[in-house]
Amino acid sequence: MSWNYKFLPAINLHVKDRIQEADADRQRSTAESLLLRLETMPGQILADEVGMGKTFVALAVAVSVALQDKDQRPVVIMIPPGLKEKWPKDLGVFLERCLDEKSRARVRWGIAGSNVEFLKLLDDDPAHRKNIIFLTHSALTRSLTDKWLKLAIIQRALYRRKDERIPKMYNRLNRFGSQIFGLQGRKNNNENLILDLLEKDTSKWKKILIQNGLLDEGADDPVPAQIIDILYKDLSGQDFNKLLEVLYDHLPAKNLGDVKSRIKDFRYYFNEEVKTIWGLCLTRITHSIPLLVMDEAHHLKNGKTNIARLFYEAESDEDINDGQLHAVFERMLFLTATPFQLGHHELCNVLDRFKGINWQNALAAGLTPEWYGNDLLELRKLLDSTQEAAVRFDQAWGQLNPNDLVINEHQYDDVEEWWVALQGMEKEVLSPVIHSVRERYDALFSRMKSAESHLRKYVLRHMREREFTGEYKGVIRRSVFPGSAINNDSFKNSEGLQVGNGSLLPFLLAARLSSLNPEARPVFAEGLASSYEAFLYTRKKSWDIDPIDMDDDHELIRPINNGEAEWYLKEIETLISADGKADQHPKLSATVNKVIDLWSKGEKVLVFCHYLATGDSLRLAVSRAIRNWIDEKASQILGCSREKAEEELTHIGSRFDEGYKMRTLFDDKLRPIIHEYDDLKEYTDQIMGVILRYFRTPAFLTRYFPLGVQDDENVLLDKAFEQQDASGLSLLKMIRNFLSFLAIKCGEEERKKYLQALSSIQTGEIRIGSSETGNVLPNVRLVNGSTVMETRQNLMLTFNTPFYPDILIATSVMSEGVDLHLNCRHIIHHDLCWNPSTLEQRTGRIDRIGAKAEQCGKSIHIYHPYVAATQDEKMYSVVMDRERWFNILMGENYKEDLESTDKLAERVPLPEVIVKELAFKLEVTPPQSSHYQSS
């Protein structure tokens, strides 16, 4: 039977006010193209840029396959553990907003966090089986932990054994089974439960466990039928001999002495043998599943990792995790936003996983593993050739210097203009250096186009338009402000942030020390450029035990450790400990000032930093600055002292209490708006409470409420609602957008999570650290690796609303799989990172379909502050240029030491026009019925 699934007509990807028609049309065309390609290809990579809706495209493909499969087989979606809440949430929205009611009722989904849960979901009868299964990346790489399966393995080990010790084993297991399998304290009163189970067929275990209160009525069978078949039909008695010896030698016989210690020993030996037997079972499991969708597929780039080995055929029974997914799926769809940052060999490694499909089905489409292997080998050769040409072009370009940008004796300052003018020149009149650049560019262009035609068969990628379309056509989507441009949003100013005289010496000493060890990465200098606290952090770390690397997997070279280096470091530490206040640090103070400026105008701000110490400093500094701004503005408007102003703000906030006229007017204003949405009526009181908590805060009152104005309370409230932010959106408009989002764009479960998070978010001051550290304001929040997952999830949701928090300071934990775009269009990359794709991932948190920028028609503002004449400025130059080269030199192997950075910083930057000319064009083309093998 051939693989033949069409785009389901019941799917409509245009979600009002969430996905625009143009985006929905692109997503539908993409899904249709993927389904068509998969008919004649083993797999596809969907590699759209960050924030373009790959999830909804993948769900459209998955649901189309799941609801059209004649055998009611499921589609499996493998997801990173950190996204196990996001994907089901998005599926809920997809089902409610993109699928008709009849089709929606046919979709049944479940989540498997372990191999046993996965097998149990597959083991259900077709009428009740989940047709969408979410499987976490780590699910199939864990050892067996399920107690009922372990007991089933023991039952099989004892099965039909002619040994006088067997009856004793049953008695011992019955006596100590509850302790072994962690059943103490359970509701069951059956003292012979373990014996009852061991003496009964596993098909009857479910009933027994339900009767004993150990399973719910709707639970799956505790032991999948396929595992039982493998245990009894595929494995022989000899496979259990070692396990029997463990039972004989280590299972406690009497309840005497240190039983707990003996049971602990038994568990150790028992689990080791069970692991081996479980591995034998896993290598014999067979399933036929029509489609695998895998998110974050770049995790497959290394064939030696556990997750990659799942798709290889196991070479022996000892390879427990190998091959669990080999020949299970008929087709595969991989998702990744950064395919070309992998390196061409790693990209081919990802494509190599398609060899693990079930080729028996593919044969009907004329596909063979031999053909695919040869075709992939041809692609490798083309990409090898392209990479060689890219390296040669890179070497030629590296020979350029600003004095070479001359045509007909005219010196160009702008490399973009120079390159365009160069295209009309005869090669014979060019200098040798420029001639080499042109020649190698032409060779690279030719090879990239050859590779592109072959790559198009496997990779589909859309690039985001650089300008808005539709109502705001022509508006630049992103505006980037480097260096000191953070101070005034001036495109003309591309200089770095100047170090004040009082702070100059530490930076001079850091530069001097860096030059003493040019072959090492000057982490202390990067830390100093981030914040004074980050520098001190680098001083406290143990380089022998815990080398610092905040960015990536690159190995750091230990800094020189001699008297001279130590003198410099101690001097810097002494200087910044004595005078290094946050508001004196050139970059930290610039970031704080920009945050306050934007916040005071009603804008939300997302700030990314690497160092934990910098995050803490930013949170404190921003919080103090906001508190100072509130007190200063309130006292100025009200014409009183700061203390009196605080009292007045508290009084104004109390006017929103029950029984006051302001509260009545507030209710009369908002309740009718909420009731415009039928889906929100039952949540009216909860929504009113959320908005009310926000209205009463000093941070809201000083920005929106007309303080000091003597007028009718109804007029005052109207003025507050009419107050606009810097994006031109009034407070009332933002609230309406939020209500529309809840009612129209959210699924039911997503709606509940948003309101639950908003109802629980803190609006009072938060105590952190010691009494000397002080409190921070609740509208300034910090998320890093130590933030508990529940808090992290709540902050993700609430930042995506018009309410608290207003400023989110985050580390890398918030850089992937997070939506923060609905009410924020300003991002500050306080710290750079050496990998440009990481910066793009972070910017992608606020540059997504339906972003605030699209709603108001104003650009996303991206700030890259850097400190002038320091390692920070060199790093900025290198990273920005590398961002362009990343599109040409796939998987560029770069160094981060001072010497390499200095050389790269001096290079002539690569023109954007070259990047556009050389970039692979892999977008959707009109569907064609021709067989891809012949292309």
Side-chain angles (χ1 to χ4, degrees):
M1 182 180 75
S2 62
W3 201 91
N4 186 11
Y5 300 91
K6 305 300 181 185
F7 187 86
L8 197 68
I11 296 175
N12 178 12
L13 290 171
H14 179 216
V15 180
K16 183 181 178 183
D17 295 328
R18 181 165 183 157
I19 301 178
Q20 297 179 1
E21 289 189 31
D23 289 316
D25 289 343
R26 172 182 50 77
Q27 290 178 346
R28 179 185 175 111
S29 296
T30 303
E32 289 175 337
S33 181
L34 288 169
L35 288 164
L36 181 63
R37 291 171 176 223
L38 287 170
E39 290 182 19
T40 55
M41 297 298 284
Q44 291 287 297
I45 295 179
L46 176 59
D48 287 354
E49 278 194 303
V50 177
M52 296 190 70
K54 289 188 294 295
T55 300
F56 267 49
V57 173
L59 289 174
V61 172
V63 170
S64 293
V65 173
L67 295 187
Q68 294 180 80
D69 189 76
K70 295 179 180 179
D71 297 321
Q72 300 181 25
R73 298 173 298 169
V75 169
V76 173
I77 303 178
M78 287 193 75
I79 57 178
L83 300 183
K84 65 181 180 181
E85 290 192 15
K86 183 179 184 300
W87 268 88
K89 181 193 74 174
D90 288 341
L91 176 61
V93 176
F94 179 89
L95 296 179
E96 288 190 38
R97 302 302 178 192
C98 301
L99 209 57
D100 63 36
E101 188 174 354
K102 183 179 179 181
S103 300
R104 187 187 315 144
R106 295 172 55 205
V107 177
R108 301 178 298 275
W109 63 272
I111 303 176
S114 69
N115 40 32
V116 176
E117 291 174 2
F118 182 47
L119 293 174
K120 287 180 179 180
L121 289 174
L122 294 177
D123 197 48
D124 291 337
D125 65 275
H128 300 93
R129 184 187 297 142
K130 311 297 185 187
N131 46 22
I132 300 286
I133 296 177
F134 293 107
L135 181 68
T136 59
H137 283 186
S138 57
L140 303 185
T141 59
R142 297 174 180 169
S143 299
L144 180 63
T145 58
D146 188 273
K147 53 181 169 290
W148 309 125
L149 264 172
K150 287 182 178 180
L151 191 61
I153 289 174
I154 290 177
Q155 184 189 58
R156 172 62 182 90
L158 300 173
Y159 179 67
R160 290 185 177 179
R161 291 279 181 170
K162 295 180 180 180
D163 190 316
E164 61 182 12
R165 295 175 293 181
I166 296 299
K168 295 179 181 178
M169 290 304 103
Y170 278 108
N171 290 332
R172 292 180 184 181
L173 287 165
N174 192 51
R175 180 180 300 175
F176 297 104
S178 292
Q179 293 170 268
I180 292 171
F181 297 111
L183 298 176
Q184 311 99 306
R186 300 299 179 94
K187 294 181 180 179
N188 62 294
N189 297 316
N190 185 354
E191 295 180 356
N192 297 313
L193 173 65
I194 300 297
L195 191 59
D196 286 350
L197 292 172
L198 289 172
E199 292 178 344
K200 296 289 193 307
D201 188 279
T202 53
S203 62
K204 298 178 181 179
W205 283 16
K206 179 178 178 179
K207 182 178 180 180
I208 296 172
L209 294 173
I210 290 174
Q211 290 173 346
N212 284 274
L214 295 171
L215 278 185
D216 296 329
E217 286 286 348
D220 289 315
D221 284 326
V223 184
Q226 188 176 23
I227 296 298
I228 296 301
D229 286 343
I230 292 171
L231 288 173
Y232 287 87
K233 295 178 182 179
D234 293 356
L235 302 185
S236 68
Q238 292 183 348
D239 293 317
F240 300 89
N241 285 344
K242 291 185 178 180
L243 178 59
L244 273 178
E245 293 303 317
V246 170
L247 292 172
Y248 295 153
D249 296 341
H250 298 283
L251 189 62
K254 296 181 180 180
N255 197 7
L256 298 173
D258 189 0
V259 175
K260 287 185 178 180
S261 178
R262 283 183 287 153
I263 288 177
K264 182 178 179 181
D265 290 341
F266 168 76
R267 281 178 179 158
Y268 171 78
Y269 294 108
F270 171 68
N271 287 333
E272 285 298 304
E273 290 307 317
V274 164
K275 182 179 179 181
T276 301
I277 295 170
W278 181 236
L280 296 175
C281 294
L282 292 176
T283 57
R284 288 162 172 79
I285 291 173
T286 57
H287 285 290
S288 178
I289 297 175
L291 179 66
L292 167 71
V293 177
M294 182 165 188
D295 194 16
E296 306 292 355
H298 49 270
H299 292 298
L300 298 173
K301 66 182 181 181
N302 186 343
K304 296 180 181 180
T305 59
N306 285 334
I307 190 170
R309 286 162 49 198
L310 292 171
F311 298 94
Y312 288 132
E313 187 171 11
E315 296 182 1
S316 70
D317 290 341
E318 295 179 359
D319 298 327
I320 294 175
N321 291 319
D322 289 11
Q324 291 184 45
L325 299 180
H326 178 76
V328 169
F329 302 103
E330 295 174 355
R331 298 290 190 275
M332 297 181 186
L333 171 59
F334 291 167
L335 312 180
T336 179
T338 56
F340 306 124
Q341 278 70 48
L342 298 177
H344 69 291
H345 286 298
E346 291 176 333
L347 174 61
C348 288
N349 287 345
V350 174
L351 290 168
D352 202 50
R353 306 300 169 254
F354 294 158
K355 291 179 180 178
I357 69 164
N358 183 341
W359 288 97
Q360 183 177 359
N361 172 277
L363 292 173
L367 288 171
T368 65
E370 293 76 19
W371 170 83
Y372 182 65
N374 291 332
D375 200 56
L376 194 54
L377 180 61
E378 179 63 23
L379 177 60
R380 283 183 184 271
K381 291 179 180 178
L382 288 169
L383 291 175
D384 280 343
S385 176
T386 300
Q387 189 72 354
E388 290 173 6
V391 170
R392 288 171 59 83
F393 175 60
D394 176 43
Q395 292 170 343
W397 189 270
Q399 299 300 312
L400 283 176
N401 64 65
N403 294 329
D404 291 317
L405 306 185
V406 178
I407 297 178
N408 292 333
E409 299 183 355
H410 175 69
Q411 177 73 48
Y412 284 82
D413 294 325
D414 188 325
V415 67
E416 300 277 352
E417 295 178 2
W418 171 79
W419 181 258
V420 172
L422 183 64
Q423 303 315 301
M425 300 299 297
E426 296 292 334
K427 294 182 179 180
E428 289 74 13
V429 301
L430 303 178
S431 69
V433 172
I434 298 176
H435 182 276
S436 177
V437 169
R438 277 284 303 272
E439 187 176 58
R440 294 185 181 186
Y441 167 82
D442 291 341
L444 175 58
F445 183 87
S446 175
R447 293 187 187 184
M448 290 197 78
K449 293 308 166 185
S450 296
E452 176 187 291
S453 65
H454 207 92
L455 198 59
R456 287 184 67 90
K457 295 190 291 186
Y458 302 108
V459 181
L460 201 159
R461 179 171 174 80
H462 293 94
M463 308 294 285
R464 184 181 286 104
E465 294 291 338
R466 294 329 185 219
E467 296 182 351
F468 290 132
T469 57
E471 181 182 357
Y472 302 111
K473 184 177 180 180
V475 176
I476 297 173
R477 187 175 186 90
R478 294 183 180 184
S479 296
V480 181
F481 302 96
S484 59
I486 192 173
N487 294 327
N488 51 21
D489 288 6
S490 173
F491 291 108
K492 297 179 181 179
N493 190 347
S494 58
E495 297 179 350
L497 295 161
Q498 298 300 314
V499 181
N501 291 333
S503 305
L504 187 59
L505 187 53
F507 287 92
L508 291 175
L509 292 174
R512 174 59 182 159
L513 176 55
S514 297
S515 67
L516 295 177
N517 195 19
E519 73 280 4
R521 173 178 167 185
V523 176
F524 60 88
E526 294 175 22
L528 182 62
S530 176
S531 66
Y532 294 133
E533 291 77 8
F535 170 82
L536 296 174
Y537 176 81
T538 67
R539 289 280 287 138
K540 295 175 183 176
K541 299 293 279 189
S542 169
W543 283 81
D544 293 322
I545 301 172
D546 187 16
I548 307 164
D549 192 358
M550 307 303 292
D551 302 344
D552 42 47
D553 297 329
H554 284 73
E555 182 180 358
L556 297 180
I557 300 174
R558 178 190 172 98
I560 51 177
N561 185 20
N562 57 36
E564 186 177 17
E566 190 63 22
W567 181 87
Y568 278 102
L569 293 171
K570 285 184 177 179
E571 283 296 308
I572 297 172
E573 185 173 355
T574 301
L575 286 167
I576 65 177
S577 297
D579 302 313
K581 297 179 181 178
D583 57 2
Q584 293 177 349
H585 189 280
K587 189 197 290 188
L588 197 140
S589 60
T591 295
V592 172
N593 290 339
K594 174 54 65 175
V595 168
I596 299 304
D597 176 60
L598 292 169
W599 172 84
S600 67
K601 298 172 182 175
E603 295 291 333
K604 290 200 170 196
V605 189
L606 176 62
V607 183
F608 273 107
C609 57
H610 279 310
Y611 296 92
L612 301 178
T614 298
D616 291 334
S617 297
L618 280 169
R619 186 186 191 189
L620 278 170
V622 170
S623 188
R624 288 167 180 163
I626 288 179
R627 184 182 287 110
N628 184 61
W629 186 92
I630 291 171
D631 291 345
E632 206 169 274
K633 180 173 182 180
S635 63
Q636 181 181 5
I637 294 175
L638 297 174
C640 61
S641 67
R642 291 190 174 203
E643 293 74 16
K644 186 66 176 177
E646 288 183 12
E647 294 179 10
E648 184 60 23
L649 288 174
T650 302
H651 172 68
I652 295 173
S654 68
R655 292 163 68 182
F656 288 93
D657 289 344
E658 195 74 46
Y660 285 82
K661 181 181 178 182
M662 188 72 79
R663 174 61 177 273
T664 301
L665 295 171
F666 175 85
D667 288 357
D668 292 344
K669 184 83 173 178
L670 289 180
R671 284 184 183 274
I673 299 175
I674 298 172
H675 288 169
E676 292 175 11
Y677 304 96
D678 290 338
D679 289 343
L680 298 184
K681 287 182 179 179
E682 63 178 295
Y683 302 103
T684 299
D685 289 340
Q686 190 174 7
I687 294 171
M688 291 290 291
V690 164
I691 302 174
L692 187 63
R693 294 176 77 222
Y694 180 70
F695 261 61
R696 294 166 56 95
T697 63
F700 163 79
L701 293 172
T702 47
R703 289 187 299 162
Y704 289 98
F705 201 80
L707 299 177
V709 176
Q710 300 298 320
D711 212 329
D712 181 77
E713 290 183 317
N714 193 36
V715 174
L716 296 177
L717 196 59
D718 283 343
K719 287 183 177 180
F721 278 119
E722 291 166 5
Q723 184 70 34
Q724 293 185 349
D725 64 6
S727 300
L729 299 178
S730 69
L731 177 62
L732 185 60
K733 176 63 175 175
M734 286 187 275
I735 292 174
R736 281 188 172 276
N737 286 346
F738 171 64
L739 296 176
S740 175
F741 170 76
L742 285 180
I744 299 174
K745 308 169 194 177
C746 278
E748 181 64 26
E749 288 303 313
E750 186 181 24
R751 183 182 304 131
K752 290 179 180 178
K753 287 183 178 180
Y754 266 99
L755 291 175
Q756 183 180 5
L758 284 166
S759 298
S760 63
I761 198 74
Q762 239 174 307
T763 56
E765 290 193 354
I766 302 170
R767 164 69 64 182
I768 62 169
S770 64
S771 57
E772 295 179 359
T773 306
N775 294 356
V776 294
L777 295 180
N779 51 340
V780 185
R781 299 302 295 264
L782 171 65
V783 178
N784 55 38
S786 65
T787 308
V788 296
M789 185 56 70
E790 182 180 359
T791 301
R792 194 184 304 178
Q793 294 288 343
N794 283 342
L795 290 175
M796 290 178 194
L797 294 172
T798 54
F799 185 78
N800 219 20
T801 74
F803 312 114
Y804 276 7
D806 299 319
I807 295 101
L808 191 62
I809 301 165
T811 61
S812 58
V813 296
M814 298 288 277
S815 62
E816 291 187 2
V818 180
D819 293 339
L820 303 172
H821 61 297
L822 294 179
N823 287 274
C824 178
R825 65 178 186 90
H826 296 85
I827 182 170
I828 301 175
H829 295 288
H830 180 83
D831 293 329
L832 289 170
C833 50
W834 286 102
N835 191 334
S837 63
T838 302
L839 288 176
E840 175 59 27
Q841 284 281 356
R842 293 176 178 181
T843 300
R845 299 312 100 214
I846 65 169
D847 190 0
R848 312 181 73 77
I849 292 175
K852 178 177 182 177
E854 293 181 349
Q855 300 171 33
C856 66
K858 295 195 175 182
S859 301
I860 292 166
H861 283 200
I862 303 167
Y863 299 94
H864 292 295
Y866 62 84
V867 183
T870 66
Q871 173 71 8
D872 206 29
E873 181 171 11
K874 297 174 187 176
M875 186 177 180
Y876 172 78
S877 299
V878 171
V879 172
M880 292 300 103
D881 193 43
R882 179 176 291 147
E883 182 178 25
R884 297 180 177 184
W885 280 101
F886 257 40
N887 292 279
I888 299 169
L889 279 169
M890 293 176 63
E892 178 194 3
N893 186 17
Y894 51 87
K895 296 181 179 180
E896 299 164 353
D897 58 84
L898 179 67
E899 189 173 22
S900 300
T901 301
D902 284 346
K903 290 179 180 179
L904 291 171
E906 294 172 357
R907 283 171 52 123
V908 174
L910 188 71
E912 183 67 32
V913 65
I914 289 182
V915 178
K916 292 179 180 178
E917 290 169 350
L918 292 178
F920 288 124
K921 309 297 189 298
L922 302 170
E923 64 276 0
V924 167
T925 54
Q928 299 176 358
S929 59
S930 60
H931 202 289
Y932 278 99
Q933 290 187 36
S934 62
S935 60

